[in-house]
Amino acid sequence: MNQVDRFKTLPDNARIQAIGNLFKYNNRKTWDIGVRFKQSTRKALKFSQLPYLSRQVVLNQTVDALPLGFPIEFTLPDRAFWQTATVGDSGLVTYKLSEEQSQKCFVFESAGKTIYLPQLELARGLFFTNNYLANAALINSALDLEFYVDQDPNDDDREFPLDLVINALPTTLCPKVLFDDEGFRHQIAWILLNSDIKNAFNSIYQYFSQERVRAPNVERWTFRFDPPQLKGVKVAARGWKSLDESTWFINRIELLDGLFFPDISDIGYSHPNSTEIKPSSGKGKGGTYPQLPSQREIDEESDGSEDNESALIFCDATQRIYNRVPRTRKVYAKARNSLGGKEDEDKPSTLPPEVSTDDSNSRGDKPRAVVDGLDDQTDNAHLYLNKFDSFFKMLKILEK
């Protein structure tokens, strides 16, 4: 695993030893999470940086890091057979900080092995592969306030008729650049259209609002949520094991294979900042998108600025495979003429090297970065065969 972007205040090759509670000081708008490193005295990062954060992950790598534990593959059992436990109950985590040992796990049997899976790590693998969803999880009904699913769209595209359209509302904090990624389009539809998955996501805020502990200067919360039904999903991960290999503690999920996607064929996606570019006469400049230097510095202290287009940065990806996925396409609410340019042609071509992973707000002074840590490996080539068939038939007609 090799991270390109760097955390500003961390040293080279900082290995995560432990992950603790969420907390927020009263004079801050955003939440942090306790993190302990082998090579640093820093004790926290932002919760919005969770796509990067699993136990034994190495940040600011300059050399190839040792693996994150032993590899294991297992199949998740029916949710009815899951129990709750703590990190300390596994007996496999040697970092003895009480906050680490008291973090919540799911525990279950799979193929004769007892698996301890930290609840936060499962939520990261399911939801927190980008910082937008990490931030949204701590806001009451965020997805209901930011998205509207039109079940009866007015669509006249005969070749690609839509079953429904997912509209990002003008109030959304979801950056348009995420809508440009098919993997995220699958992910947000998977959450919004599957009530069990959505309830699991919403349970994060429910526990967060009910259980966080307030002190004079700070609030704290131990992460937990209600898992969705994941029976039969295959997991590839790394972690620690007992000497007889009968008990395992999971450090990081690397693949989720067999996630259930609703049986929907064609989905449209609309974002208020997306504009369809209609060509016009004349010669224009080529389209540009906010370009990134080869390396970004993530400022762990700053909030996101409201003045900049979101920058896209990448972290080590968690792979996922659905049982099926729909065809997807963008739906535009507005159009404008272009002199040969493309969507986003008038956006700036460069951004400063320092970025923030938090949502934009009035205090922010760094460009907001969108962290992409999702690698959707679902095979969907067959969905677009008809489109290519039509193209080749047209070519044959032209040849005649």
Side-chain angles (χ1 to χ4, degrees):
M1 303 173 76
N2 185 28
Q3 302 282 4
V4 174
D5 302 293
R6 293 182 58 81
F7 285 78
K8 183 177 180 180
T9 64
L10 289 179
D12 291 344
N13 304 307
R15 182 179 291 271
I16 296 174
Q17 296 289 86
I19 295 178
N21 291 330
L22 281 71
F23 65 94
K24 183 181 78 68
Y25 292 107
N26 292 345
N27 62 347
R28 298 289 298 273
K29 282 191 172 184
T30 56
W31 283 78
D32 294 341
I33 184 168
V35 183
R36 296 295 191 273
F37 296 92
K38 188 175 183 180
Q39 294 90 347
S40 173
T41 58
R42 188 175 180 90
K43 295 182 179 180
L45 290 172
K46 285 179 174 286
F47 186 72
S48 61
Q49 290 151 3
L50 198 65
Y52 289 91
L53 307 183
S54 298
R55 290 169 178 82
Q56 299 304 312
V57 162
V58 177
L59 303 179
N60 293 357
Q61 288 188 25
T62 60
V63 297
D64 290 339
L66 294 174
L68 316 179
F70 301 98
I72 181 175
E73 296 182 2
F74 57 92
T75 300
L76 294 173
D78 190 289
R79 179 176 53 188
F81 299 106
W82 296 26
Q83 297 179 321
T84 58
T86 65
V87 169
D89 292 334
S90 72
L92 296 174
V93 177
T94 59
Y95 199 93
K96 296 304 181 183
L97 182 73
S98 60
E99 192 173 298
E100 158 78 338
Q101 294 287 318
S102 63
Q103 293 304 301
K104 299 183 185 299
C105 292
F106 297 117
V107 59
F108 45 79
E109 302 291 322
S110 180
K113 296 181 174 62
T114 302
I115 309 293
Y116 285 81
L117 175 57
Q119 294 197 21
L120 184 61
E121 176 58 21
L122 178 60
R124 187 200 62 78
L126 293 173
F127 305 125
F128 303 149
T129 54
N130 60 74
N131 51 322
Y132 164 70
L133 286 174
N135 290 327
L138 303 186
I139 300 173
N140 187 20
S141 303
L143 300 185
D144 291 329
L145 296 173
E146 297 192 23
F147 296 95
Y148 167 67
V149 179
D150 184 354
Q151 301 280 359
D152 187 22
N154 182 17
D155 180 62
D156 57 2
D157 189 324
R158 293 184 179 180
E159 184 177 341
F160 199 149
L162 296 175
D163 297 312
L164 55 86
V165 175
I166 294 176
N167 299 280
L169 299 174
T171 54
T172 190
L173 294 174
C174 179
K176 184 184 71 64
V177 69
L178 278 178
F179 260 45
D180 295 338
D181 178 71
E182 189 172 48
F184 176 76
R185 295 200 295 267
H186 291 161
Q187 183 183 33
I188 195 67
W190 176 70
I191 297 172
L192 293 175
L193 303 177
N194 186 326
S195 60
D196 186 45
I197 301 298
K198 189 177 180 182
N199 288 340
F201 183 85
N202 288 339
S203 73
I204 297 169
Y205 179 80
Q206 292 167 5
Y207 287 120
F208 170 72
S209 63
Q210 295 167 7
E211 297 179 350
R212 63 183 190 261
V213 178
R214 294 173 173 85
N217 297 317
V218 67
E219 295 180 73
R220 299 184 185 277
W221 179 55
T222 301
F223 183 93
R224 73 166 171 140
F225 79 116
D226 294 330
Q229 178 60 268
L230 298 169
K231 180 181 178 181
V233 172
K234 296 179 175 60
V235 180
R238 283 186 174 271
W240 305 133
K241 61 182 179 179
S242 60
L243 290 177
D244 61 2
E245 300 189 7
S246 64
T247 304
W248 286 75
F249 177 86
I250 303 304
N251 287 326
R252 182 178 173 88
I253 293 171
E254 298 183 330
L255 167 68
L256 294 166
D257 182 359
L259 295 171
F260 175 81
F261 198 99
D263 189 9
I264 299 171
S265 298
D266 299 291
I267 300 179
Y269 295 80
S270 173
H271 193 283
N273 294 337
S274 290
T275 303
E276 183 180 19
I277 305 301
K278 292 189 176 298
S280 62
S281 59
K283 183 178 180 181
K285 62 183 180 180
T288 61
Y289 184 78
Q291 299 297 309
L292 304 181
S294 59
Q295 187 178 90
R296 289 276 177 186
E297 271 199 340
I298 300 168
D299 191 328
E300 299 94 320
E301 304 295 340
S302 294
D303 294 343
S305 170
E306 296 177 331
D307 300 327
N308 301 89
E309 174 73 8
S310 296
L312 185 65
I313 60 178
F314 299 91
C315 68
D316 291 319
T318 299
Q319 295 182 327
R320 66 172 55 194
I321 300 174
Y322 298 98
N323 65 326
R324 69 174 74 86
V325 289
R327 293 193 302 177
T328 70
R329 67 173 170 90
K330 295 181 185 179
V331 175
Y332 299 98
K334 53 188 176 180
R336 61 184 173 89
N337 292 331
S338 167
L339 295 177
K342 299 179 182 179
E343 187 178 330
D344 298 320
E345 67 172 345
D346 53 1
K347 296 292 192 299
S349 60
T350 59
L351 285 172
E354 290 187 6
V355 295
S356 168
T357 55
D358 272 331
D359 286 338
S360 304
N361 63 62
S362 58
R363 296 184 183 183
D365 59 356
K366 294 290 188 297
R368 178 191 185 190
V370 180
V371 182
D372 183 0
L374 175 64
D375 181 11
D376 189 341
Q377 291 286 311
T378 311
D379 183 6
N380 65 349
H382 65 284
L383 297 175
Y384 299 93
L385 288 178
N386 290 339
K387 185 176 180 179
F388 288 108
D389 286 344
S390 299
F391 174 74
F392 289 123
K393 288 178 182 178
M394 180 185 69
L395 289 181
K396 289 182 179 179
I397 292 173
L398 291 175
E399 288 174 356
K400 293 179 180 179

